[in-house]
Amino acid sequence: MSRRIPRIMTVAGIMSDIDDDGSDSVSSDPSSSSSHKDRIIIVANQLPIKVHKKTDNSKGWTFSWDDNSLYLQLKDCLGDEDTEFIYVGCLKEEIHPNDQDEVSQILLETFKCVPTFLPPDLYSRYYHGFCKQQLWPLFHYMLPLSPDLGGRFNRSLWQAYVSVNKIFADRIMEVINPEDDFVWVHDYHLMVLPTFLRKRFNRVKLGFFLHSPFPSSEIYKTLPIREEILRGLLNSDLIGFHTFDYARHFLSCCSRMLGISYESKRGYIGLDYYGRTVSIKILPVGIHMGQLQSVLSLPETEAKVAELVKQFSGQGRTLLLGVDDMDIFKGISLKLLAMEQLLLQHPEKKGKVVLVQIALPARGKGKDVKEVQDEMYATVKRINETFGEPGYDPVILIDQPPKFYERVAYYVAAECCLVTAVRDGMNLIPYEYVISRQGNERLNKILGPEASTPKKSMLVVSEFIGCSPSLSGAIRVNPWNIDVVAEAMESAIEMPEPEKQLRHEKHYKYVSTHDVSYWGKSFLQDLERTCKDHVRRRCWGIGFGLSFRVVALDPNFRKLAMEHIVSAFKRTTTRAILLDYDGTLMPQNSIDKKPSSKTLDILNSLCRDKNNVVFIVSSRPRSKLDAWFSSCDKLGIAAEHGYFMRMKRDEEWETSIPAVECNWKQIAEPVMQLYTETTDGSMIELKETSMGWCYEDADPDFGSCQAKELLGHLESVLANEPVTVKSDSNCVEVKPQGVSKGLVAKRLLSSMQERGMLPDFVLCIGDDRSDEDMFEVISSSTTGPSIAPNAEVFACTVGRKPSKAKYYLDDTAEIVRLMKGLASVSELMIPIL
């Protein structure tokens, strides 16, 4: 590492003197090993270095770290005494060829950075030409249908891109010890670099992370050099994406264009590329928590927050905030049009709501940036002229980039953050906003007495940005639908405070635990795992893939009509009602799972009728159900799929089968933990006698895919244990053998029979596979002694899907309406004392 790095390229067209003959490929270079430290070589288009010319009229440059660079944050979070980081990339300033040797030496010795020097013409054709005018628009779903719409493919620009990627490979070669070092390449600027490295070092440990979207195969296949880029990426050992959608599109392209299929083993997705396993990693990048919290503690931040509070809250105005680069995909104009629509539809908001739009400089060049600017200025002017008044502008545009602490101050003061990009790889603005809204004690004093209450924040985010799937409490919108965005803005302002607090708490918990450190460690751990044993890996197929499916319905399967069931309810005198909870009485996507007062009133009304026996049958633990339904003294409850049961609140809990040992949890929990770490949005739910792996907040397709794999994994390792493993709606659950919701139905009907209450009306409603056991029991009981002859039996599922139930209702809202109707009938039928 102490040797001088030679200049690689000083004149356009003159490449490195390193022989590129494939026959010279090597797998190790002992002379480059200088220590026993783990070394990670971070390769990106730009080094995390700020460059300044010396100001004292002397020749030369001064260098400092760029604290805002993600790649430096990786070092800050992951670096320790046993890990050394080396950076390879370009500088933001052009260095004269005569100074390049000296600059290389300084950067290597002081910062462990290896600069890649490119002639200005080559860099312009590579970066502003191929990267920004061809790859970037296409990866953001913009086809070059005309010369003005993105860039038509230009072979010379592609050749410049390849040349620059080769130069990067030459620079890496001079510092790498391929047997020990890990190389982590970042983003679409360097997608063929892995091919050059793999050619030189057959066993290089190489990871690649794409920070932009990866388009669908229908878009991607329009690229004339589509196969070259795919094969370049496949020369990596691990390829990372922010979201499952991006990974799915990449896998689809590999399948459709190269005929390479993918498989999954124990939760990891892999492609067999000529006998070498290429792993796929799906994990959105996070923010640097320490850096943001230190900025929140700065005196200048506090002063700016105080100024903003006085400017907005002090005048009774709600601050909405947008922070975006000034490019064509950030949807700034769409956001402004939505603000205009909000003021049109809600005139009472005039003078009370202000949108502050911070427009950051665009990273690319071109007339499209100028068009975005012109449209933005014109729209702001029109809105302010139409709705403004003395002392009030509804839109405040900040087009000079503020200092970071000023931006953070706006986050702290804003009631809602709006991100309406029409396409964006990730976008960390919502993450920064959530952490800033959490604040600290000193900011609480500035914000006033309300700040001491639970924190709150609101996010309105586009469906088309990478962070959207991980922000499950945000209001997600189609940014092209101006009316919907305006409604979302109004909802964000008017939403009840407890709901805002719940959403903020959920987001803060996620963002604070999934920071840049978590992202970096997770990626490098997977890279190490992949490089360690990918040659020996055995892959198992799970049929992973397409969203197309066929739903086959029984001809007798029909919607449950209110008048039909009410009529039967009135005619009968002894009724058994069994209700699932999650997904039936409570929507699956609800953040607050507690039953509403309306639900409790309905249940109490039904229970007051002595002719009704009402049971909640749930997979949840008895402690939670006991707390939630404590006001329902006559309600029967079955917890943990019926392992625990009680007929009324004042009765003791009983077990449906003899008590069991739960030693199997020591086997199952590590397996579930593995899938939790590799499936963003999943969690483990521990109960007294069972445990479940829940993925309702994960991507639906990926979560479902992982659930299938986990099911097989658990069945294998628990084959000799007295448990059953079942996959249900958004959950894979392990529970004792013999326990099912069907057993609850059997025991309830038997109990009623023993008390001389032969039911002539049975209603059972549930939404997932565990409820099918109840449907089967009550349907088969029509011919048995446990219910009255000619009894009215209604087995009802939620949604139109294959089921043993004969009826369905579309959603939880319809079920609540149905139960409310039955409760009203019961109230009328209760004798007046």
Side-chain angles (χ1 to χ4, degrees):
M1 288 299 299
S2 60
R3 69 188 190 282
R4 188 168 66 86
I5 301 298
R7 200 162 58 243
I8 292 297
M9 183 177 197
T10 57
V11 181
I14 300 178
M15 296 293 178
S16 158
D17 57 359
I18 296 173
D19 189 4
D20 192 32
D21 185 358
S23 62
D24 288 341
S25 354
V26 294
S27 59
S28 63
D29 178 12
S31 65
S32 64
S33 178
S34 62
S35 70
H36 295 292
K37 286 185 177 183
D38 289 333
R39 291 206 317 176
I40 300 167
I41 301 175
I42 302 287
V43 189
N45 178 52
Q46 287 193 336
L47 290 170
I49 293 289
K50 292 180 179 178
V51 185
H52 303 283
K53 280 188 176 180
K54 289 183 177 177
T55 56
D56 56 0
N57 294 324
S58 62
K59 291 184 178 180
W61 302 85
T62 60
F63 305 97
S64 61
W65 288 115
D66 181 358
D67 293 331
N68 294 324
S69 170
L70 170 68
Y71 313 122
L72 180 62
Q73 292 172 4
L74 274 173
K75 177 185 177 183
D76 190 28
C77 295
L78 303 179
D80 53 39
E81 293 180 357
D82 298 322
T83 306
E84 182 179 17
F85 279 80
I86 298 173
Y87 294 96
V88 178
C90 298
L91 289 168
K92 296 174 185 177
E93 298 285 342
E94 182 186 348
I95 306 294
H96 191 277
N98 294 340
D99 299 330
Q100 289 176 5
D101 282 348
E102 182 186 355
V103 168
S104 292
Q105 196 70 26
I106 292 170
L107 290 176
L108 181 63
E109 293 175 355
T110 309
F111 299 95
K112 289 192 168 57
C113 288
V114 180
T116 303
F117 298 115
L118 303 173
D121 174 63
L122 180 66
Y123 183 83
S124 179
R125 286 186 291 130
Y126 146 75
Y127 182 75
H128 296 296
F130 192 75
C131 290
K132 281 298 178 184
Q133 291 301 317
Q134 298 190 358
L135 280 182
W136 191 71
L138 188 81
F139 276 38
H140 288 76
Y141 287 72
M142 185 175 175
L143 288 172
L145 299 175
S146 73
D148 294 335
L149 264 175
R152 294 274 174 88
F153 180 74
N154 183 316
R155 181 68 59 178
S156 68
L157 297 183
W158 161 245
Q159 289 168 347
Y161 181 85
V162 173
S163 295
V164 169
N165 275 247
K166 182 181 180 298
I167 294 168
F168 269 81
D170 293 338
R171 285 309 245 175
I172 295 165
M173 283 183 65
E174 300 188 17
V175 292
I176 190 173
N177 176 4
E179 286 292 324
D180 301 320
D181 295 349
F182 291 95
V183 181
W184 188 356
V185 181
H186 290 267
D187 223 2
Y188 64 95
H189 314 93
L190 302 168
M191 288 193 291
V192 295
L193 172 59
T195 294
F196 291 116
L197 288 177
R198 186 68 60 191
K199 189 174 184 180
R200 306 293 178 83
F201 304 126
N202 300 153
R203 302 174 70 175
V204 65
K205 302 172 183 178
L206 179 57
F208 182 95
F209 197 95
L210 183 67
H211 293 271
S212 78
F214 195 94
S216 73
S217 59
E218 290 300 302
I219 298 290
Y220 179 80
K221 69 183 181 183
T222 64
L223 196 59
I225 37 78
R226 60 194 191 185
E227 288 193 13
E228 291 88 334
I229 287 180
L230 285 180
R231 292 189 186 280
L233 294 174
L234 288 169
N235 275 314
S236 307
D237 292 303
L238 177 66
I239 306 172
F241 300 92
H242 285 306
T243 74
F244 174 64
D245 269 350
Y246 304 161
R248 179 165 57 87
H249 294 156
F250 172 76
L251 294 171
S252 177
C253 288
C254 290
S255 174
R256 291 167 184 264
M257 294 165 212
L258 300 179
I260 300 170
S261 59
Y262 49 88
E263 294 178 299
S264 177
K265 178 195 172 186
R266 301 303 195 221
Y268 295 108
I269 303 170
L271 291 142
D272 184 6
Y273 189 54
Y274 293 94
R276 190 172 55 83
T277 300
V278 180
S279 293
I280 303 297
K281 176 76 173 175
I282 301 162
L283 186 66
V285 70
I287 61 174
H288 191 328
M289 288 288 294
Q291 183 190 53
L292 191 52
Q293 287 169 340
S294 66
V295 173
L296 284 166
S297 302
L298 292 174
E300 48 262 51
T301 306
E302 294 168 7
K304 185 65 178 178
V305 170
E307 176 190 325
L308 294 174
V309 168
K310 182 180 178 182
Q311 182 181 351
F312 296 104
S313 302
Q315 298 184 37
R317 289 171 183 166
T318 300
L319 170 59
L320 309 180
L321 179 65
V323 181
D324 305 275
D325 291 346
M326 219 178 310
D327 70 50
I328 55 176
F329 297 112
K330 292 301 187 288
I332 296 176
S333 294
L334 296 174
K335 186 188 306 176
L336 295 173
L337 291 173
M339 179 65 180
E340 185 177 39
Q341 189 75 356
L342 175 71
L343 295 172
L344 280 170
Q345 293 179 346
H346 301 276
E348 72 279 3
K349 294 284 191 283
K350 182 179 175 181
K352 297 180 180 178
V353 177
V354 178
L355 171 63
V356 172
Q357 176 62 54
I358 298 175
L360 304 174
R363 299 179 192 180
K365 297 178 181 178
K367 68 176 186 178
D368 53 351
V369 174
K370 180 72 167 59
E371 289 171 358
V372 168
Q373 289 176 330
D374 292 344
E375 184 183 7
M376 179 179 67
Y377 289 130
T379 309
V380 170
K381 183 180 178 184
R382 185 181 71 243
I383 294 172
N384 286 341
E385 286 177 352
T386 306
F387 300 98
E389 53 191 30
Y392 170 68
D393 283 332
V395 179
I396 297 174
L397 178 62
I398 301 174
D399 56 0
Q400 295 299 315
K403 293 189 170 77
F404 187 57
Y405 80 85
E406 293 178 310
R407 197 166 99 194
V408 169
Y410 275 102
Y411 290 146
V412 174
E415 282 293 309
C416 177
C417 183
L418 309 165
V419 182
T420 55
V422 296
R423 189 73 61 180
D424 206 350
M426 183 59 195
N427 201 311
L428 293 174
I429 298 298
Y431 286 16
E432 293 176 354
Y433 170 70
V434 167
I435 299 304
S436 300
R437 288 289 286 178
Q438 187 70 12
N440 56 42
E441 288 186 10
R442 294 181 63 166
L443 287 173
N444 289 347
K445 294 177 183 176
I446 297 170
L447 293 169
E450 290 185 6
S452 60
T453 60
K455 302 295 182 179
K456 62 185 180 182
S457 63
M458 282 305 300
L459 285 166
V460 175
V461 299
S462 164
E463 299 169 353
F464 306 119
I465 61 176
C467 66
S468 176
S470 59
L471 297 169
S472 53
I475 302 176
R476 298 189 183 116
V477 294
N478 173 3
W480 297 103
N481 191 332
I482 304 300
D483 291 331
V484 166
V485 179
E487 289 171 14
M489 293 165 75
E490 203 271 337
S491 297
I493 296 168
E494 300 299 334
M495 186 173 287
E497 298 294 297
E499 181 74 9
K500 290 181 181 180
Q501 292 162 4
L502 278 169
R503 289 169 185 258
H504 171 79
E505 182 183 354
K506 187 171 190 179
H507 289 158
Y508 180 76
K509 184 178 180 182
Y510 177 85
V511 175
S512 61
T513 54
H514 292 70
D515 60 358
V516 68
S517 174
Y518 176 89
W519 173 72
K521 285 176 183 174
S522 183
F523 187 90
L524 291 171
Q525 284 171 1
D526 274 13
L527 180 58
E528 185 176 6
R529 173 192 56 79
T530 302
C531 296
K532 182 179 179 181
D533 59 8
H534 65 74
V535 175
R536 301 188 300 274
R537 187 173 305 147
R538 291 169 46 207
C539 298
W540 300 349
I542 59 168
F544 170 56
L546 305 174
S547 58
F548 174 79
R549 56 181 63 85
V550 175
V551 178
L553 301 177
D554 190 289
N556 296 322
F557 190 59
R558 59 188 185 273
K559 190 163 185 175
L560 184 56
M562 174 73 85
E563 58 270 20
H564 179 39
I565 192 169
V566 167
S567 173
F569 192 89
K570 288 178 178 177
R571 289 196 308 270
T572 52
T573 56
T574 306
R575 310 180 194 95
I577 301 173
L578 296 101
L579 302 170
D580 174 47
Y581 183 70
D582 289 284
T584 302
L585 291 177
M586 175 60 62
Q588 287 284 9
N589 59 1
S590 175
I591 294 176
D592 186 1
K593 298 291 188 181
K594 289 189 296 185
S596 64
S597 57
K598 178 182 175 182
T599 301
L600 295 174
D601 289 343
I602 290 170
L603 292 172
N604 276 323
S605 295
L606 288 168
C607 291
R608 276 196 292 270
D609 186 343
K610 62 181 179 57
N611 294 325
N612 298 335
V613 176
V614 185
F615 243 79
I616 293 290
V617 187
S618 173
S619 61
R620 289 190 175 273
R622 55 178 172 170
S623 57
K624 188 156 285 188
L625 294 173
D626 191 19
W628 284 355
F629 297 100
S630 58
S631 61
C632 305
D633 56 343
K634 294 182 180 179
L635 177 69
I637 297 177
E640 296 196 22
H641 291 296
Y643 184 89
F644 298 107
M645 289 177 61
R646 72 176 186 200
M647 299 296 291
K648 294 179 182 177
R649 185 184 65 190
D650 297 329
E651 292 184 6
E652 292 293 324
W653 289 97
E654 300 174 0
T655 57
S656 56
I657 62 171
V660 294
E661 294 288 333
C662 292
N663 297 331
W664 54 266
K665 287 185 178 180
Q666 299 172 8
I667 303 171
E669 189 168 4
V671 176
M672 288 188 178
Q673 189 62 44
L674 165 67
Y675 285 77
T676 304
E677 291 171 359
T678 57
T679 311
D680 191 44
S682 64
M683 59 174 288
I684 298 172
E685 187 175 1
L686 288 168
K687 304 170 191 173
E688 289 181 67
T689 63
S690 64
M691 63 189 302
W693 183 77
C694 304
Y695 57 96
E696 65 176 334
D697 287 335
D699 180 278
D701 289 335
F702 184 51
S704 175
C705 161
Q706 294 288 77
K708 291 177 185 176
E709 184 66 6
L710 174 60
L711 184 69
H713 196 162
L714 289 172
E715 285 175 341
S716 173
V717 298
L718 298 173
N720 298 322
E721 299 295 331
V723 293
T724 57
V725 186
K726 285 195 174 182
S727 180
D728 221 327
S729 175
N730 296 324
C731 186
V732 175
E733 192 162 43
V734 185
K735 59 186 178 183
Q737 286 177 351
V739 175
S740 73
K741 291 185 177 181
L743 190 59
V744 177
K746 277 183 185 175
R747 289 196 61 176
L748 175 60
L749 294 177
S750 298
S751 173
M752 293 179 71
Q753 184 185 9
E754 290 167 7
R755 288 183 286 162
M757 297 175 63
L758 210 59
D760 54 0
F761 176 99
V762 181
L763 171 62
C764 179
I765 308 179
D767 74 306
D768 58 31
R769 290 181 187 173
S770 66
D771 302 309
E772 296 293 319
D773 294 330
M774 286 197 294
F775 301 153
E776 186 174 17
V777 167
I778 68 163
S779 298
S780 62
S781 297
T782 54
T783 57
S786 56
I787 64 175
N790 302 318
E792 300 280 1
V793 176
F794 299 92
C796 178
T797 189
V798 182
R800 282 178 266 194
K801 57 180 181 281
S803 173
K804 292 172 184 174
K806 290 186 177 181
Y807 300 94
Y808 74 88
L809 288 169
D810 286 327
D811 52 34
T812 56
E814 287 196 349
I815 292 164
V816 172
R817 278 199 296 272
L818 171 70
M819 300 314 299
K820 185 177 180 182
L822 297 182
S824 300
V825 174
S826 269
E827 289 284 354
L828 294 172
M829 297 173 72
I830 296 173
I832 299 174
L833 299 176

